[in-house]
């Protein structure tokens, strides 16, 4: 078994819960990939106390059989009969379900499959929470992949900076950036790239438009690459030509808020405390209500995963977590600024994985 699967088995409440858990079922594409190392659009993992099965259909069977070494790969042409065989073999009565990866329609379908058997599904968030907490702490190879994804992103941003000029449209920049990310080695982009200029930059998740860059604009570029399945995430806001004192002061406030938050990161600190440090600083400096999203989130196989650094989060930072710190100030009909770095939490503090310049750049 690869170590992530061992960590899951260790934490599964096989002997606890109100009902005894005999097995667990994992559906979501990301969690299947995380535990098996195999990417497929379909499939199910069934974990019992002693065995782990990976059901795939004909499309994936040969590839999965060759790649997956920590589970028994089962060709599920007839999923029901394969599932019932394993249920009987291990005398399974209660199966804990991963809920995030399962729609209500699918859950009804599975219930129908086992209706004649003396088996029940436990529908709760227990499994999702356990997996999320395992995934939030990155293993060495995961960290390496995230670092490479970030290096790719920075190379692409560097090259983009040399071509960015007034007259280019936001869509044109986003298109060029995606091309550069792929050219530098990204397997794909981590999310729809955000390029927002001038007044559009007051919308944190603006979609690139035909608006052309003008002198005096801020341009917010939020970008990420995927490498070996792992994402990176970074935002930079740059200025074009001459900008106002207000723009300069807002930029420096966001940067100072980010630095204060980063300096407070270390293992054991509550995520909401870090959010509060950045948020209070922004609010106390005259911009209450202008920072309306969370301070950050974990990054890994998914662009947004645990832990979450928000006002209400109960998550606690732990060594090995990779999180973003992305404060912003958004002024409707004027402009917006966001600066985002990706950070690894350590016992004593943290290590910043983002090296791109974040002093105010005026192109
Ligand atoms: N970088 C996109 C996001 O964090 O939502
Ligand atoms: Mn982000």
């Amino acid at each position: 078994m690869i170590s992530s699967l061992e960590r899951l088995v260790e934490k599964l409440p096989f002997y606890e819960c109100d009902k005894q858990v005999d097995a667990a079922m994992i559906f979501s594409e990301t969690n299947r990939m995380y535990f098996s190392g195999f990417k497929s659009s379909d499939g199910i993992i069934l974990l019992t106390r002693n065995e782990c099965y990976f059901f795939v259909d004909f499309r994936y069977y040969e590839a999965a059989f060759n790649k997956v070494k920590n589970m028994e790969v089962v060709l599920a042409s007839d999923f029901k009969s394969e599932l019932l065989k394993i249920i009987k073999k291990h005398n399974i009565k209660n199966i804990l379900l991963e809920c995030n990866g399962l729609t209500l329609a699918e859950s009804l379908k599975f219930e129908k499959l086992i209706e004649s058997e003396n088996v029940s599904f436990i529908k709760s968030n227990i499994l999702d929470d356990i997996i999320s907490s395992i995934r939030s702490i990155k293993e060495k190879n995961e960290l390496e992949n995230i670092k490479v994804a970030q290096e790719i992103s920075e190379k692409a941003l560097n090259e983009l900076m040399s071509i960015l000029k007034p007259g280019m449209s936001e869509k044109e920049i986003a298109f060029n950036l995606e091309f550069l990310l792929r050219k530098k080695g990204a397997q794909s982009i981590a999310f729809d790239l955000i390029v927002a200029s001038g007044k559009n930059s007051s919308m944190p998740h603006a979609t690139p438009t035909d608006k052309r860059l003008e002198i005096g604009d801020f341009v917010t570029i939020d970008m990420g690459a995927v490498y070996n399945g792992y994402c990176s995430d970074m935002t930079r806001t740059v200025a074009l030509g001459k900008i106002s004192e207000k723009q300069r002061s807002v930029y420096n406030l966001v940067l100072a808020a980010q630095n204060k938050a980063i300096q407070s990161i270390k293992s054991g600190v509550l995520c909401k405390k870090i959010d509060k440090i950045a948020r209070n600083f922004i609010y106390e400096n005259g911009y209450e209500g202008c920072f309306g999203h969370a301070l950050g989130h974990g990054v890994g196989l998914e662009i947004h995963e645990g832990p979450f650094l928000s006002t209400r989060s109960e998550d606690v930072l732990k060594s090995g977590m990779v999180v973003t710190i992305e404060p912003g100030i958004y002024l409707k009909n004027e402009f917006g600024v966001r600066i985002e770095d990706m950070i690894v939490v350590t016992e004593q503090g943290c290590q910043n994985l983002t090296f791109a310049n974040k002093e105010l750049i005026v192109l």
Side-chain angles (χ1 to χ4, degrees):
M1 278 189 182
I2 54 174
S3 60
S4 53
L5 197 56
E6 279 168 9
R7 280 156 75 196
L8 175 60
V9 175
E10 258 171 39
K11 293 189 175 192
L12 267 182
F14 279 127
Y15 303 96
E16 306 161 13
C17 249
D18 15 337
K19 279 184 184 167
Q20 177 181 290
V21 175
D22 305 306
M25 255 175 152
I26 297 169
F27 305 94
S28 67
E29 186 169 333
T30 317
N31 285 338
R32 278 190 278 111
M33 160 87 182
Y34 180 69
F35 290 114
S36 70
F38 184 73
K39 189 170 163 55
S40 56
S41 64
D42 218 352
I44 294 172
I45 291 176
L46 178 75
L47 193 63
T48 70
R49 286 171 202 226
N50 311 310
E51 304 279 345
C52 189
Y53 300 92
F54 190 9
F55 297 95
V56 280
D57 63 48
F58 182 79
R59 294 171 299 167
Y60 292 110
Y61 180 70
E62 186 181 340
F65 187 82
N66 291 335
K67 168 101 184 170
V68 179
K69 299 296 172 208
N70 59 338
M71 303 176 191
E72 184 176 324
V73 178
V74 180
L75 173 62
S77 305
D78 180 354
F79 176 66
K80 180 175 175 176
S81 74
E82 295 300 334
L83 178 66
L84 294 185
K85 259 192 248 168
I86 292 165
I87 284 176
K88 286 204 174 73
K89 178 176 171 194
H90 295 279
N91 193 22
I92 293 168
K93 297 273 174 271
N94 298 306
I95 304 178
L96 182 60
L97 299 185
E98 181 206 14
C99 292
N100 275 335
L102 198 62
T103 63
L104 180 57
E106 285 163 339
S107 147
L108 294 172
K109 191 179 87 186
F110 286 125
E111 248 149 19
K112 204 152 176 55
L113 289 184
I114 54 156
E115 69 188 350
S116 58
E117 309 297 312
N118 186 19
V119 178
S120 63
F121 288 136
I122 304 171
K123 295 176 206 153
S124 86
N125 289 328
I126 299 174
L127 184 55
D128 301 80
D129 290 348
I130 292 172
I131 294 176
S132 165
S133 87
I134 293 173
R135 273 182 45 194
S136 70
I137 313 254
K138 269 54 189 181
E139 294 182 9
K140 197 163 168 271
N141 67 314
E142 297 185 279
L143 207 48
E144 282 311 310
N145 287 327
I146 293 171
K147 283 182 182 172
V148 175
Q150 178 56 22
E151 281 163 20
I152 290 170
S153 218
E154 295 194 15
K155 284 184 198 155
L157 181 65
N158 249 339
E159 208 164 311
L160 183 81
M161 286 299 162
S162 65
I163 58 167
L164 210 68
K165 57 176 188 297
M168 277 176 98
S169 77
E170 293 169 355
K171 277 186 186 165
E172 211 177 326
I173 296 165
F175 170 80
N176 274 283
L177 186 53
E178 178 162 352
F179 173 79
L180 286 169
L181 284 164
R182 289 182 185 266
K183 190 170 135 195
K184 303 290 175 193
Q187 146 196 353
S188 59
I189 48 173
F191 51 89
D192 287 342
L193 304 175
I194 297 170
V195 177
S197 66
K199 287 182 182 171
N200 292 346
S201 60
S202 74
M203 295 176 274
H205 268 200
T207 306
T209 68
D210 291 318
K211 179 191 168 301
R212 294 187 182 278
L213 302 196
E214 292 164 57
I215 298 287
D217 276 356
F218 265 145
V219 189
T220 299
I221 299 169
D222 189 343
M223 59 189 292
V226 179
Y227 182 77
N228 276 343
Y230 284 83
C231 302
S232 66
D233 198 3
M234 156 171 78
T235 307
R236 288 294 180 262
T237 301
V238 297
L240 280 181
K242 222 178 128 47
I243 56 162
S244 67
E245 267 319 299
K246 183 173 181 184
Q247 280 173 294
R248 193 172 289 276
S249 108
V250 166
Y251 187 93
N252 288 328
L253 262 180
V254 174
L255 184 58
Q258 196 210 33
N259 283 330
K260 280 182 190 300
I262 292 174
Q263 280 155 17
S264 312
I265 291 178
K266 71 171 182 185
S267 184
V269 179
L270 267 170
C271 288
K272 66 181 169 196
K273 186 174 165 201
I274 309 294
D275 179 283
K276 196 168 179 180
I277 288 167
R279 196 168 300 281
N280 282 357
F281 181 75
I282 287 172
Y283 290 2
E284 281 158 14
N285 279 283
Y287 290 98
E288 183 150 9
C290 302
F291 171 31
H293 57 76
L295 179 68
H297 53 88
V299 183
L301 284 174
E302 286 174 293
I303 187 65
H304 296 140
E305 54 181 51
F308 294 96
L309 293 91
S310 66
T311 47
R312 278 188 231 109
S313 173
E314 291 302 325
D315 296 339
V316 177
L317 292 175
K318 294 198 186 114
S319 183
M321 287 178 165
V322 174
V323 298
T324 66
I325 298 294
E326 48 180 308
I329 293 179
Y330 306 94
L331 307 176
K332 194 172 170 210
N333 287 326
E334 290 185 69
F335 61 85
V337 173
R338 176 167 68 261
I339 305 169
E340 174 179 31
D341 284 359
M342 218 172 34
I343 311 283
V344 192
V345 181
T346 62
E347 280 309 322
Q348 303 304 328
C350 66
Q351 185 198 343
N352 198 330
L353 298 180
T354 315
F355 296 97
N357 185 7
K358 55 186 175 177
E359 290 307 315
L360 178 56
I361 296 175
V362 185
L363 292 171

